Structures are given as structure tokens and as C-alpha cells.
Amino acid sequence: MLSGATWRNGPPPPTDHGGLLGRVFLTRVIEPGDETGGRWVRELGVDRVVRRLRQRGEPLPGVSRKRWAGLLARAERADPRRDLAVAQESGVRFVCPGDAEWPGQLDDLGDTRPLGLWVRGTADLRLWALRSVALVGARACTEYGAFMAATLAAGLAEKGWIVVSGGAYGIDGAAHRGALGAGGATVAVLACGVDRPYPRGHAGLIGRIAEQGIVVGELPPGEHPTPSRFILRNRVIAALTRGTVVVEAAHRSGSLATVRAAHRLGRHTMGVPGPATSGLSAGVHELLRQDAVLVTDADEIVELVGDMGELAPERRGPVLPRDLLDPAVRQVLAALPARKAAHPDAIARTAQTTPDDAIAKLYELRALGYVERHGDGWKLTRQAVISVRGGADVR
């Protein structure tokens, strides 16, 4: 099959080789994610499907005459050579299944696999997808969500991972900017033609992604997005990557479709927790109660999606001075009440040791400034009350 790279720097091929023009034709006729159309291609082959559409024959299996008429109307207007020429003028190439640059993990989508991908950017999509993570979430995100998305993306970029998202406002945009800001790589998967950035307010961002990363889409040049195309685009994000992280999402957020698709495909699914009172975290929290894994930084994400041995560092609180004490001495220290003196016998009982042993350790603690004598009893010093009780949170 002819690779998109073959004609990237030259004119479109004058004749069809292995279905390239046919697949370009079908991207203009069949909607992304159309399982019926994908089955036609798998069972009949690209050439036969294209001929039936061009010759306006009997409907192919599984469609009504009304829908077939709509497909024929699209086919009548389709001009794959023109689409390839327009794409070339915009620095866009078309990558087919079987090409060297085709990401093999997209084949996991079965009959909903893209017919091909329009790719803008010089990097190799297949190589980048091998070490990629999706970061998605709400468009109307909070400052917390935007901060977490940018921070996670920057952390992943610094570790050599590719950040994939949808180019939208909110979490998507924050993720792309975080990766770019860290000098890393990012991929935007659009629900429209890659020569027509959407949303328009992100034209500059998407242009920057095309220069430093890759912009990808299933739809031919000039095509505009629709609500259904946004949802179907999410399956490509899920399939391209090793795992999907949802940063913020309400119960009805479209970004949840990405993580559900990732789960169906056997990819890692992750969620970033937010305030329990935030409606924008409600969808994420529901995922975390099911199969998603809670993550809070890039190390935890890489531990899941990376190679064996790429473990997140052990999480520990600050080391307190009392942590350096011998365990038996700490036990005696913990046996002293917070605000009054105690007799050595009472301290020994609480510490489960003998009075002589308790007294010996109390003198050791006095030398370290933790306790002081009060008549026949012993009491914590003021500084010990602050450091021991405040740090230990035991009473």
C-alpha cells in the first residue's frame, strides 16, 4: 500500500496504488466510526465498496435505501485527487492502514478503525503513539483542573512521554500547553479537517502543535465538526495511547466516552480526584469507584503505563526528630500525657515496660529536650508538645 510519506513532498499519485485514493474517497463518504462501512471494507475490500458507490448500484448490506441515497449523494461530490492536492498545500499527508507510519494499536478498534488518518506535522505518528498518554477532561474546567492538566502534561513530557488530547478548550488546551511549555511533544486529535482548526480560539495553539508535534484527524480537508464527530473522535484518542487520564469531568461529560473506550480496549484508565463538592469532579469520582486508578502526578501515571520497573517514588511524610528515636524510647515518649505530669509507674504501664526501664528512657528523653522532671513525675516540655503531638496527630 502506498505510504503517505511517499507523496508528502511531491504531487499526489496519478493512479491509485493499493487503495489510497479509494480510502481518501471513503473518508468523504463514510462517517468516522461507522461500523457498517468498516465491515464493508473488511469483507469486500476498498475497491469494491468504492465501485458500488460510484456506479450507484444496489445498497450494500446493512443500510436502508434512504441512507444509501445519502451515501450516494456524498459519493457524487467526492474528489479524492482534489482532497490530496488541498492537503499537500496545507502540509498534510494521508496515512493508511498498512503504511509504515500507521499506528497498529488502532487496529484494536475492529470495524470502527479509521479508514485512514490525515496527519499534519513532521514527526512519525506510529513511533510517537507507542509512548503516549491521553489527558482529557471538561471544557469548562476549574483553575484547579487546568493547573493539574498542565502539571501532569509537563511532567509526562519531561519523562519523554507524548501527551495526546483533543485540542478543545479547558483541560485539553491546558494539557497541550503544559507539554509544549516543558519542551515536550503533543498530539491533537481533531473532530474536523486538520486544515481547519477548531475551536477557532485555539487556531494559534493548534498551529503550534503542528509545528512542534502532530495534528491528526479522520475527516478530509475542510470538514467541520459535529457533536457526534466529537464523541467518535474520542475512540481514536483512546486507541492511540497506552492509557487515558481524566482530569475533570461532570457526570455527562463527553470526555468520559474516551475513558470508557480505553477501558473497552484494555488500556489503562486513570482519574485525578477533585473536591467532593465539585460537580466537575463527580464523573471522575464515579470512574474511580469503578475500574479507574487514582493518580496525582506524572510518576504515578508512568508507573501504570510504563515499562516494568518504572515505579513512582514511595510517598512519605516529613521526617520528624522523634522518628530518629529508638522505637522503645518513642513508646515511652508516646505514653506521656499532653498537659500534665505522670508518675513513672503510670508511664511504664502505658508503654508496656518496667518502671526501671521507663525511668532510664525518660532520662534519655530529658537529655534530648523532650521531657522534664516535675517532683515525682515527668512531663513533656513545651517544645515537645508542639513537635510530638502536632506531628504525630495521635490525640
Side-chain angles (χ1 to χ4, degrees), residues 118-198:
W118 300 89
V119 181
R120 181 181 168 200
T122 59
D124 187 290
L125 178 62
R126 183 186 68 82
L127 293 179
W128 275 26
L130 291 174
R131 191 174 169 85
S132 65
V133 176
L135 285 181
V136 298
R139 285 178 172 80
C141 66
T142 65
E143 290 185 10
Y144 162 79
F147 171 81
M148 287 302 299
T151 302
L152 292 173
L156 288 167
E158 289 169 356
K159 294 176 180 297
W161 284 81
I162 311 301
V163 174
V164 179
S165 199
Y169 291 132
I171 297 299
D172 289 14
H176 290 307
R177 291 188 181 95
L180 293 171
T186 187
V187 176
V189 183
L190 305 186
C192 56
V194 295
D195 64 329
R196 176 179 286 186
Y198 184 91

Side-chain angles (χ1 to χ4, degrees), residues 55-255:
Q55 294 171 4
R56 306 180 66 83
E58 286 295 307
L60 285 162
V63 293
S64 65
R65 289 192 174 277
K66 181 178 179 181
R67 185 178 170 214
W68 183 247
L71 293 173
L72 294 178
R74 286 187 171 194
E76 190 174 353
R77 296 191 299 271
D79 185 343
R81 294 178 186 278
R82 181 185 60 200
D83 284 338
L84 287 173
V86 170
Q88 185 193 16
E89 290 175 2
S90 302
V92 175
R93 61 191 180 277
F94 186 73
V95 177
C96 297
D99 287 351
E101 193 181 356
W102 181 257
Q105 56 266 49
L106 289 177
D107 299 343
D108 294 345
L109 290 169
D111 287 339
T112 66
R113 178 184 71 173
L115 294 160
L117 290 174
W118 300 89
V119 181
R120 181 181 168 200
T122 59
D124 187 290
L125 178 62
R126 183 186 68 82
L127 293 179
W128 275 26
L130 291 174
R131 191 174 169 85
S132 65
V133 176
L135 285 181
V136 298
R139 285 178 172 80
C141 66
T142 65
E143 290 185 10
Y144 162 79
F147 171 81
M148 287 302 299
T151 302
L152 292 173
L156 288 167
E158 289 169 356
K159 294 176 180 297
W161 284 81
I162 311 301
V163 174
V164 179
S165 199
Y169 291 132
I171 297 299
D172 289 14
H176 290 307
R177 291 188 181 95
L180 293 171
T186 187
V187 176
V189 183
L190 305 186
C192 56
V194 295
D195 64 329
R196 176 179 286 186
Y198 184 91
R200 291 184 180 179
H202 274 181
L205 174 62
I206 293 172
R208 187 180 170 198
I209 294 171
E211 292 174 0
Q212 294 183 227
I214 305 175
V215 180
V216 178
E218 296 180 75
L219 291 156
E223 282 293 308
H224 60 83
T226 64
S228 64
R229 287 173 173 177
F230 281 119
I231 296 298
L232 291 164
R233 174 273 311 273
N234 293 341
R235 84 195 192 287
V236 176
I237 295 176
L240 268 179
T241 54
R242 300 277 289 272
T244 295
V245 182
V246 185
V247 179
E248 274 189 326
H251 279 300
R252 292 177 57 84
S253 172
S255 60

Side-chain angles (χ1 to χ4, degrees), residues 141-363:
C141 66
T142 65
E143 290 185 10
Y144 162 79
F147 171 81
M148 287 302 299
T151 302
L152 292 173
L156 288 167
E158 289 169 356
K159 294 176 180 297
W161 284 81
I162 311 301
V163 174
V164 179
S165 199
Y169 291 132
I171 297 299
D172 289 14
H176 290 307
R177 291 188 181 95
L180 293 171
T186 187
V187 176
V189 183
L190 305 186
C192 56
V194 295
D195 64 329
R196 176 179 286 186
Y198 184 91
R200 291 184 180 179
H202 274 181
L205 174 62
I206 293 172
R208 187 180 170 198
I209 294 171
E211 292 174 0
Q212 294 183 227
I214 305 175
V215 180
V216 178
E218 296 180 75
L219 291 156
E223 282 293 308
H224 60 83
T226 64
S228 64
R229 287 173 173 177
F230 281 119
I231 296 298
L232 291 164
R233 174 273 311 273
N234 293 341
R235 84 195 192 287
V236 176
I237 295 176
L240 268 179
T241 54
R242 300 277 289 272
T244 295
V245 182
V246 185
V247 179
E248 274 189 326
H251 279 300
R252 292 177 57 84
S253 172
S255 60
L256 297 181
T258 310
V259 75
R260 292 188 185 110
H263 179 67
R264 289 193 300 271
L265 292 165
R267 309 293 197 263
H268 293 285
T269 57
M270 295 154 276
V272 177
T277 54
S278 172
L280 281 173
S281 290
V284 180
H285 294 165
E286 185 63 26
L287 290 173
L288 292 173
R289 294 183 66 231
Q290 299 169 9
D291 301 302
V293 177
L294 185 151
V295 292
T296 59
D297 61 22
D299 287 323
E300 293 174 349
I301 296 171
V302 172
E303 183 176 76
L304 282 175
V305 302
D307 297 326
M308 186 177 296
E310 292 188 77
L311 302 177
E314 184 180 355
R315 302 294 192 259
R316 300 186 64 180
V319 177
L320 302 173
R322 74 179 188 87
D323 295 331
L324 304 177
L325 298 173
D326 181 85
V329 176
R330 285 206 306 270
Q331 193 168 350
V332 170
L333 178 62
L336 274 84
R339 294 183 176 83
K340 62 182 180 179
H343 193 272
D345 290 346
I347 296 172
R349 285 194 299 272
T350 303
Q352 300 181 48
T353 189
T354 65
D356 288 344
D357 183 60
I359 290 171
K361 290 178 172 54
L362 285 166
Y363 276 106

